[in-house]
Amino acid sequence: MNMFLWILLIGMGCLSFVPLTRIRIFNLDKKYQNYKYVSILLFLWSFLTLITFISESPKVRYYLTLTVYPLVFLLTSFLFLAFANYVERKIPLIVKVFVGIIFVLELIVTYTNPIHMEMIRLPLNDSLTFEMLVDVPHGTYFLIHTFICYAILLSAIIMIIGRLYKNLKLDQDIMPFLVMVIGIIAGVTFNMIYIFGPAFPIDPTYIVFVVLISLLYFVLYIRDIKIILALNRNNFIIDNLREMYVICNHRGYIEQASEAFIDYFKVEIDKNLIFDELMENIQDKAIVYYDPLEVDNLYDENKRYLHMQEKEIDFPFFKYKGKFYLFYDESKSRKYINDLNYVKSHDLMTGLYNRNYFEEIKNEIDNSSDFFTLIMFDLDCLKFYNDYLGHKAGDELLIRFSNKLKEVAEKYNWIPIRLGGDEFLLIAINAKSEEIDDTIKMIQALNDSKLKEKRIIFSCGKASKSNDFINLESVFSEADKQMYLMKDKKDEEKKELEENLKKISKK
């Protein structure tokens, strides 16, 4: 055998050995696992081809030549299964059983060839030479074998080209598709020359397989698995992060999520799940935000507050990038801020808004085009309760009145405020006059209690935004004025309540 053939043979052997050097990477994802079997079978074919060339035994050469046929069938079948997994197409069990049966039949026909010569029409004898094996005539079963292998290979090629074309449209990256198409065209052309042309010492089908699978390895390893390796490179570090995280590939599909994220949200990380869909799935359990200023001041204790940060992951040799999303749990901080805001804006005894809150919203109400009414209240009886029944009874009086005010405010979506001491304010936005009258009657019911120690006497005044009282200050002053006009008319009622409370205190 001349030097060129030796170089070609050694080159093909080295090329087929390359995937074996990183065979463990095919375990990174289930859809790549069958490629390790393809790589092993391809290298085995290279090994058998080399032994066939260097062996001096006619019997060894004969059976090694025959062994290649079931090996090629098995290699083609695993290539088909590998492509099917890659494109996520489920292969029925009956197809796998059929492949197994054909493989057993191939083994039987191969190793009984000296009897029937249906695979190669060449008897086993001591005068067998290497040249005779190169130009050997084939039998009937060889044609069946070739047809089956080409049918399987064609189906596999159609699948992989279809997926690469789909990826081309998604990524606008023509390289994987172009490399595979050129490789397939070159391989088919070379094989046709072998079939219809002169005999060649090295089986061109073997060369085609080595080149095709090497190109496939380039596409999968350099283009796909490199991405997974880039995403997984710092697994130990990210797995031990206290924060939750999600990793996405260049198409936005989820590649990985932290156990803390999966456990809390009870989500299944599917390779077909995109990041935006994941965010929609968790919105009932969390409020996710880039900027804390975006968060609504209304705190929801049933949700976690996650401050999300995004970082791009660069993939070497690629024009696109992955994404690393890190989620900082700020629920405790948000609750603390919410509690501070609550203290700042609420009266702690009654739960109503306080004077600070009123001062904050005055300009907003004043500048809005909404019609509003202010109803002011003053509890005329608080001093009597404090003096005769004690401050605890006075506090209970304030709470009962505030609860009634909250009830009315919730009904109409108005704003109840304790201005201080025994003074209260109800801001009625876009209120109808009958709603105002109905509100005062509802609160007035507190004065109708059959238990004298439960009665609440109050004065109130109301004023609305109009041409005469065009801003909030003027409306507020008018409501205050109306309240004190009513207060002057309560002397008899207050005197009666004072006498009753005095009698109760002496019991």
Side-chain angles (χ1 to χ4, degrees), residues 210-264:
V210 171
V211 173
L212 185 62
I213 293 174
S214 296
L215 290 173
L216 182 64
Y217 176 76
F218 169 81
V219 170
L220 294 182
Y221 177 69
I222 304 300
R223 312 297 292 187
D224 278 15
I225 297 178
K226 272 284 191 180
I227 294 177
I228 298 175
L229 290 173
L231 294 174
N232 293 340
R233 187 174 295 122
N234 295 310
N235 264 5
F236 175 79
I237 297 174
I238 61 178
D239 283 345
N240 288 280
L241 284 174
R242 292 176 59 191
E243 288 75 26
M244 295 183 283
Y245 66 84
V246 172
I247 300 175
C248 298
N249 64 22
H250 56 292
R251 297 183 189 130
Y253 288 96
I254 308 297
E255 286 288 346
Q256 187 180 346
S258 64
E259 290 185 9
F261 187 95
I262 294 171
D263 291 343
Y264 178 76

Side-chain angles (χ1 to χ4, degrees), residues 20-82:
L20 292 183
T21 61
R22 301 295 302 276
I23 197 165
R24 291 179 62 185
I25 64 173
F26 293 118
N27 292 324
L28 290 173
D29 193 298
K30 287 183 178 179
K31 71 178 184 179
Y32 300 111
Q33 285 182 352
N34 279 322
Y35 290 112
K36 66 182 177 183
Y37 304 117
V38 171
S39 301
I40 292 170
L41 290 171
L42 182 64
F43 180 72
L44 183 58
W45 191 356
S46 296
F47 180 74
L48 294 180
T49 303
L50 178 63
I51 297 299
T52 302
F53 274 111
I54 64 177
S55 176
E56 297 294 333
S57 169
K59 187 174 183 179
V60 170
R61 282 181 169 176
Y62 185 82
Y63 279 107
L64 286 180
T65 301
L66 287 170
T67 301
V68 167
Y69 298 117
L71 180 66
V72 169
F73 171 78
L74 196 60
L75 174 61
T76 308
S77 300
F78 269 106
L79 191 62
F80 174 80
L81 293 175

